[in-house]
């Protein structure tokens, strides 16, 4: 199967290119920062690691598949000794004291980090505009948003500035920007990859996700990063996904889609028509298509943001400038806390903290938060029933095309609604892949929990069909 990682690996082994030249070439592409994807270039670290790979090859040693492959890291992951800002004013000078488990696994496999990538501050946004480093520009049209919150990661992959990038997906933060920039973005089953070292947004739905240009690269990266981690009790032992197992469509007989998504007033007519045309192409191959009933998209969005805001208010309560962060002194400790958080958090982050604290406050938690938890359970149960009837669920990634830069900042509600088709699968903790086909912003492929390989298998089937 097509793979950029394997192609570059072969070139390195055959001495067609040196790792140093490969890394230098990628750094040269990133330095102008024309799309505002770069928070920090890791040039010294990257070139040192590249020299070691070249020395191994020169000595006739075998290198691993990922060894010497340059990649990007969304700037919400810890990488020891590097500045990790979360694209926020509060952490603009914060140096990581340790490395995230998923990133460490890539480093152990020999992959070379070359850039910490721009994103919505603390993952709060769907456009990568809520950042101190300037709005990330779409890879296809620089006047449009890149999507978020992993916008810098998706754009770097789309422009071939990185071979792959690692993002974080809470409610669609890998899948939506992947769709906006026409690349592959995968949210695995919750707990398959350790979250240790990923700055927590909403702990119950946060996932580490790879972004790449091919399905095979997604498979390779997923296998390397997956597994039980004693530092993250939500992780579990998972089976490796073989290349052979995803090369043929075996056992996929019925595909479902949510008719509610098609009946929504929010969906762009072209995206709707293109999606239904894709469904017809699948049907023509003898696969049964089933319409499914689901919660309305506005219920999904409100449930997700109720819980996500509550969790982020709790997770970010530790950021007050006392232990780390950009502290602003005032006349007393309480005032110092207040001004530090007020001045350093973005408007979107403050909006979510305020909303979350209200949801959790006395008199509101029973009325709002507990109802949100009950709805999440109902959504998960709905998915369990659906997957008794279908093997795969397919859906648009977004209801509309990417907006112009600036529009989302004027209308946060519209930005939240752009997540209407991604957040449900996050609440269900299901494996979901964006593919750059089928509609202007791609298609989503989803399977039941722990069926990540089935998602990749069906993506391979669609690659030549749509």
């Amino acid at each position: 199967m097509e793979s950029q990682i394997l192609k570059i690996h072969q070139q390195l082994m055959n001495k067609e290119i040196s790792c140093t030249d490969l890394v230098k070439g990628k750094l040269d592409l990133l330095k102008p920062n024309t799309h505002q994807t770069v928070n920090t270039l890791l040039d010294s670290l990257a070139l040192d690691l590249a020299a070691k790979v070249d020395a191994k090859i020169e000595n006739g040693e075998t290198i691993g598949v990922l060894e010497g492959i340059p990649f990007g890291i969304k700037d919400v992951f810890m990488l020891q000794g590097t500045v990790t800002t979360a694209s926020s004013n509060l952490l603009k000078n914060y140096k990581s004291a340790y490395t995230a488990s998923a990133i460490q696994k890539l480093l152990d496999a020999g992959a070379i980090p070359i850039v910490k990538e721009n994103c919505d501050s603390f993952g709060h946004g769907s456009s990568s505009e809520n950042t101190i480093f300037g709005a990330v520009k779409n890879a296809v049209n620089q006047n449009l948003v890149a999507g978020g919150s992993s916008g810098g990661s998706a754009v770097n992959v789309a422009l071939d500035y990185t071979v792959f990038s690692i993002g974080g997906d809470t409610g669609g933060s890998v899948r939506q920007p992947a769709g906006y920039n026409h690349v592959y973005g995968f949210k695995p089953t919750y707990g398959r990859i350790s979250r240790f070292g990923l700055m927590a947004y909403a702990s119950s739905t946060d996932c580490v996700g790879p972004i790449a240009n091919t399905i095979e690269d997604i498979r390779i990266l997923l296998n390397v990063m997956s597994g039980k981690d004693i530092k993250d009790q939500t992780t579990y032992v998972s089976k490796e996904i073989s290349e052979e197992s995803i090369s043929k469509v075996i056992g996929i007989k019925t595909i479902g889609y949510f008719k509610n998504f098609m009946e929504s007033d929010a969906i762009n007519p072209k995206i709707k028509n293109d999606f239904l045309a894709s469904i017809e192409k699948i049907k023509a191959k003898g696969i049964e298509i089933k319409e499914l009933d689901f919660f309305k998209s506005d219920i999904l969005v409100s449930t997700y943001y109720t819980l996500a805001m509550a969790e982020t208010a709790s997770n970010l309560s530790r950021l007050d400038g006392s232990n780390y962060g950009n502290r602003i002194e005032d006349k007393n400790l309480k005032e110092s806390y207040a001004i530090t958080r007020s001045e350093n958090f973005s408007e979107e982050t403050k909006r979510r903290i305020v909303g979350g604290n209200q949801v959790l406050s006395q008199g509101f938690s029973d009325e709002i938060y507990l109802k949100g938890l009950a709805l999440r359970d109902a959504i998960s149960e709905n998915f369990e029933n659906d997957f008794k009837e279908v093997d795969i669920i397919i859906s648009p990634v977004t209801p509309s095309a990417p907006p112009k830069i600036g529009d989302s900042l004027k209308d946060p509600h519209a930005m939240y609604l752009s997540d209407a088709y991604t957040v449900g699968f996050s609440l269900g903790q299901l494996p979901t892949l964006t593919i750059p086909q089928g509609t202007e912003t791609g298609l989503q492929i989803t399977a039941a929990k722990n069926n990540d390989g089935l998602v990749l298998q069906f993506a391979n089937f669609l690659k030549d069909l749509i």
Side-chain angles (χ1 to χ4, degrees):
M1 276 185 284
E2 184 187 3
S3 165
Q4 279 198 345
I5 290 171
L6 292 175
K7 180 183 176 183
I8 293 170
H9 171 71
Q10 206 57 54
Q11 289 173 329
L12 289 170
M13 287 295 292
N14 294 341
K15 298 183 181 179
E16 295 171 30
I17 55 171
S18 73
C19 188
T20 298
D21 286 344
L22 172 65
V23 167
K24 277 183 179 176
K26 298 296 185 189
L27 290 170
D28 286 344
L29 291 172
L30 287 163
K31 277 173 188 172
N33 202 17
T34 52
H35 287 71
Q36 297 185 161
T37 60
V38 178
N39 286 4
T40 309
L41 275 181
L42 307 175
D43 39 7
S44 297
L45 171 64
L47 290 169
D48 286 347
L49 292 172
K52 291 176 182 176
V53 173
D54 283 334
K56 284 183 73 171
I57 295 169
E58 198 58 41
N59 291 333
E61 297 178 48
T62 301
I63 60 169
V65 168
L66 279 178
E67 206 157 351
I69 305 296
F71 74 102
I73 304 171
K74 182 180 180 180
D75 203 10
V76 290
F77 286 92
M78 300 297 173
L79 178 61
Q80 188 173 23
T82 68
V83 176
T84 302
T85 71
S87 294
S88 73
N89 215 33
L90 189 66
L91 297 177
K92 63 183 179 183
N93 298 313
Y94 175 69
K95 273 197 174 181
S96 303
Y98 61 96
T99 298
S101 293
I103 303 302
Q104 188 60 57
K105 286 189 173 185
L106 294 169
L107 297 178
D108 292 344
I112 297 178
I114 61 173
V115 60
K116 299 296 285 291
E117 296 165 321
N118 199 0
C119 57
D120 283 303
S121 181
F122 294 105
H124 298 157
S126 306
S127 63
S128 292
E129 295 173 281
N130 300 295
T131 162
I132 61 169
F133 296 99
V136 180
K137 299 174 183 177
N138 190 288
V140 181
N141 181 344
Q142 292 194 47
N143 295 316
L144 306 179
V145 301
S149 59
S150 307
S153 302
V155 171
N156 280 340
V157 170
L159 295 174
D160 205 26
Y161 293 172
T162 60
V163 178
F164 66 88
S165 288
I166 303 302
D169 190 306
T170 305
S173 296
V174 160
R175 290 163 286 151
Q176 187 245 41
Y180 278 3
N181 294 282
H182 305 169
V183 292
Y184 291 92
F186 189 64
K187 184 198 85 66
T189 300
Y190 180 81
R192 186 183 181 100
I193 301 176
S194 173
R195 291 177 293 114
F196 180 76
L198 165 65
M199 288 189 197
Y201 167 14
S203 306
S204 66
T205 56
D206 284 345
C207 289
V208 178
I211 300 172
N213 277 305
T214 72
I215 299 163
E216 177 63 5
D217 288 345
I218 295 287
R219 183 192 70 84
I220 291 168
L221 296 167
L222 189 61
N223 283 338
V224 170
M225 292 190 291
S226 296
K228 182 72 178 171
D229 180 11
I230 58 170
K231 297 170 184 173
D232 178 359
Q233 294 305 305
T234 63
T235 54
Y236 59 90
V237 177
S238 55
K239 289 182 181 178
E240 186 167 295
I241 301 168
S242 69
E243 181 180 352
E244 184 183 12
S245 70
I246 68 167
S247 61
K248 295 178 183 177
V249 179
I250 302 167
I252 298 177
K253 297 177 181 177
T254 310
I255 304 301
Y257 75 94
F258 297 124
K259 62 180 180 181
N260 318 55
F261 287 2
M262 296 299 102
E263 293 166 356
S264 168
D265 293 336
I267 192 167
N268 176 295
K270 187 174 189 313
I271 287 180
K272 177 179 179 177
N273 292 337
D274 288 347
F275 175 78
L276 293 174
S278 298
I279 289 292
E280 288 303 314
K281 289 179 182 177
I282 296 168
K283 191 176 181 180
K285 287 293 183 180
I287 294 175
E288 184 185 353
I289 303 297
K290 199 158 197 170
E291 286 187 344
L292 302 171
D293 287 314
F294 199 47
F295 292 83
K296 290 182 179 178
S297 54
D298 57 344
I299 293 175
L300 295 174
V301 172
S302 58
T303 302
Y304 167 76
Y305 276 103
T306 294
L307 299 177
M309 285 183 179
E311 291 186 39
T312 202
S314 176
N315 282 325
L316 292 187
S317 62
R318 73 195 78 176
L319 294 178
D320 55 23
S322 296
N323 295 313
Y324 36 73
N326 182 29
R327 182 182 177 89
I328 300 173
E329 297 289 352
D330 208 333
K331 51 184 177 282
N332 57 48
L333 187 60
K334 185 177 179 180
E335 293 299 319
S336 293
Y337 284 168
I339 195 168
T340 293
R341 288 167 67 83
S342 177
E343 294 295 321
N344 285 317
F345 281 135
S346 72
E347 290 303 309
E348 183 58 37
T349 294
K350 285 186 281 190
R351 188 179 292 117
R352 297 186 187 205
I353 290 172
V354 169
N357 282 330
Q358 182 172 4
V359 165
L360 294 172
S361 63
Q362 191 172 6
F364 286 95
S365 59
D366 288 356
E367 188 67 27
I368 304 174
Y369 182 64
L370 294 184
K371 281 186 177 178
L373 292 176
L375 270 170
R376 182 176 67 184
D377 291 343
I379 289 165
S380 293
E381 187 179 340
N382 201 108
F383 278 127
E384 287 178 15
N385 292 331
D386 285 339
F387 283 116
K388 290 174 185 175
E389 299 182 31
V390 302
D391 303 305
I392 290 285
I393 293 172
I394 191 168
S395 65
V397 179
T398 64
S400 56
K404 289 182 179 178
I405 290 173
D407 288 357
S408 296
L409 297 178
K410 297 172 193 171
D411 189 357
H413 184 249
M415 179 183 70
Y416 298 158
L417 290 176
S418 72
D419 297 333
Y421 297 162
T422 56
V423 293
F425 304 119
S426 294
L427 292 167
Q429 301 185 336
L430 304 173
T432 307
L433 173 73
T434 287
I435 64 170
Q437 296 161 271
T439 78
E440 186 178 346
T441 57
L443 295 174
Q444 267 183 126
I445 301 168
T446 306
K449 284 182 182 178
N450 305 320
N451 282 286
D452 302 58
L454 195 66
V455 171
L456 300 183
Q457 185 190 118
F458 194 66
N460 262 322
F461 169 71
L462 292 185
K463 187 158 56 73
D464 298 322
L465 178 65
I466 297 175

